[in-house]
Amino acid sequence: MAALTRREFVAGVMATALAARIEASPLGLPIGSQTYPHRQTIGAGDFAGLLETLKEIGVEAVELCSAIGYKEFAPLADARAVKRTLGEHGMKCESAHFSLRELRDNQQKSIDWAREIGMTQMVVATLGGGRTPAMDDVKRAADEYNAIAAVAAKAGMQQVLHNEGFEVSMVDGRRTYDILMDLLDPKLVKFQFQMSTINQGLVAEEYFTKYPGRFISMHVQDVDMNAPVPEGGRGRPQTAVGKGSIDWAKTFKAARTGGVKNYFVEQNMELTKASVAALKAMNV
């Protein structure tokens, strides 16, 4: 075999580096998709078709919603079949969202479903205390969730909290989300950050830096903070990653400090395609 010239060697190294950059993903983690925006497809019984579409656009992992707590996900009740379908499409699934009610009523059933699929993270979207809670409401919600998380931990599951209406409310001049950071046991509860809550003044990089190690995942969307708020809307509309106001380089750098281990695009299919393409092109 003829020896490579220096020029050929350098060209090969550059080509390899370029290919790695093209195939890169932020934090070196699989690009994921939260399937809630695609729930109608799942409800119609075409879970395999959804996975095929997501795989084609570059998604490597999915986050589901519970077949017990979310009616559109009822076709996924057979955990063994779900695991088999995921495997057939080369998809990872470490996480799902669960309703607070189902965990109150029969937590073990939900744990068994998640474990059979191979999950390790159980997320609740909100603790559901309303948008104008009192401090006692926040304390009561935190106590209940710590108890739920303790049961999950014994079963080898990581309990996770998302941030929706209740969590972005204000109590006695403080954000409920920050109060929950104080009240929820860091050994039992991790957090999942919803990027679109920049609409309510929550900036991911600030939270990841302020609370190192408290996060495990994030839901990825972008928002153009210069766009007008639609009449009757609660915030500016979402856009594809890189088309809005979020500084993604700073976000992913801070995500390392926050402890983020996975992330999921949570958008309709059109925006999901554009956002996944943008994430694949990032070198962060």
Side-chain angles (χ1 to χ4, degrees):
M1 182 181 292
L4 291 175
T5 67
R6 183 176 184 278
R7 177 177 292 180
E8 290 171 334
F9 175 77
V10 171
V13 170
M14 291 180 66
T16 301
L18 178 59
R21 180 170 180 172
I22 290 173
E23 296 300 323
S25 57
L27 305 181
L29 298 171
I31 296 174
S33 171
Q34 161 55 249
T35 53
Y36 184 76
H38 317 302
R39 61 194 178 278
Q40 291 184 339
T41 301
I42 292 174
D46 195 15
F47 180 50
L50 173 63
L51 294 183
E52 184 173 345
T53 298
L54 292 172
K55 190 72 174 181
E56 287 175 353
I57 65 173
V59 171
E60 299 176 89
V62 292
E63 182 178 63
L64 299 177
C65 292
S66 167
I68 301 166
Y70 289 75
K71 64 179 182 180
E72 297 92 347
F73 287 77
L76 305 185
D78 185 341
R80 291 185 180 181
V82 172
K83 183 176 182 178
R84 183 172 59 252
T85 303
L86 287 165
E88 289 170 350
H89 290 81
M91 284 284 187
K92 295 180 60 178
C93 183
E94 298 177 294
S95 176
H97 272 231
F98 297 79
S99 73
L100 188 57
R101 175 176 292 180
E102 71 177 286
L103 298 185
R104 285 171 174 159
D105 293 346
N106 192 347
Q107 186 179 4
Q108 189 58 51
K109 185 176 181 180
S110 300
I111 289 172
D112 291 344
W113 179 81
R115 179 187 284 150
E116 183 65 40
I117 293 172
M119 298 180 193
T120 57
Q121 301 163 32
M122 300 179 69
V123 189
V124 167
T126 177
L127 298 186
R131 294 183 178 274
T132 56
M135 185 61 75
D136 284 347
D137 298 322
V138 179
K139 291 179 179 178
R140 186 162 44 248
D143 287 343
E144 178 185 37
Y145 205 54
N146 277 330
I148 287 172
V151 174
K154 290 180 180 179
M157 291 287 176
Q158 174 64 66
Q159 201 66 44
V160 184
L161 179 63
H162 192 60
N163 51 321
E164 294 289 355
F166 173 64
E167 286 70 27
V168 301
S169 64
M170 301 293 291
V171 179
D172 296 343
R174 292 186 68 198
R175 184 81 66 184
T176 298
Y177 199 49
D178 292 271
I179 298 170
L180 289 170
M181 288 284 182
D182 294 338
L183 296 177
L184 292 172
D185 189 335
K187 295 179 181 178
L188 298 175
V189 179
K190 295 290 186 181
F191 290 82
Q192 179 183 73
F193 198 90
Q194 174 87 348
M195 295 299 298
S196 63
T197 56
I198 191 173
N199 264 311
Q200 287 79 40
L202 281 73
V203 179
E205 63 182 90
E206 295 176 359
Y207 272 89
F208 293 157
T209 303
K210 185 177 180 179
Y211 298 104
R214 298 296 301 274
F215 293 86
I216 196 168
S217 61
M218 54 196 284
H219 276 179
V220 173
Q221 311 95 4
D222 210 337
V223 178
D224 182 357
M225 296 302 290
N226 296 315
V229 177
E231 185 176 351
R234 291 179 177 174
R236 295 165 180 82
Q238 291 185 23
T239 186
V241 167
K243 300 295 184 180
S245 302
I246 294 174
D247 187 324
W248 290 99
K250 289 184 178 179
T251 295
F252 281 114
K253 181 179 179 180
R256 291 185 174 90
T257 300
V260 170
K261 298 294 188 297
N262 42 40
Y263 50 87
F264 308 97
V265 177
E266 187 188 29
Q267 297 183 298
N268 65 35
M269 188 58 74
E270 180 182 358
L271 288 177
T272 295
K273 290 178 181 179
S275 290
V276 169
L279 289 168
K280 289 173 69 176
M282 285 186 187
N283 186 26
V284 293

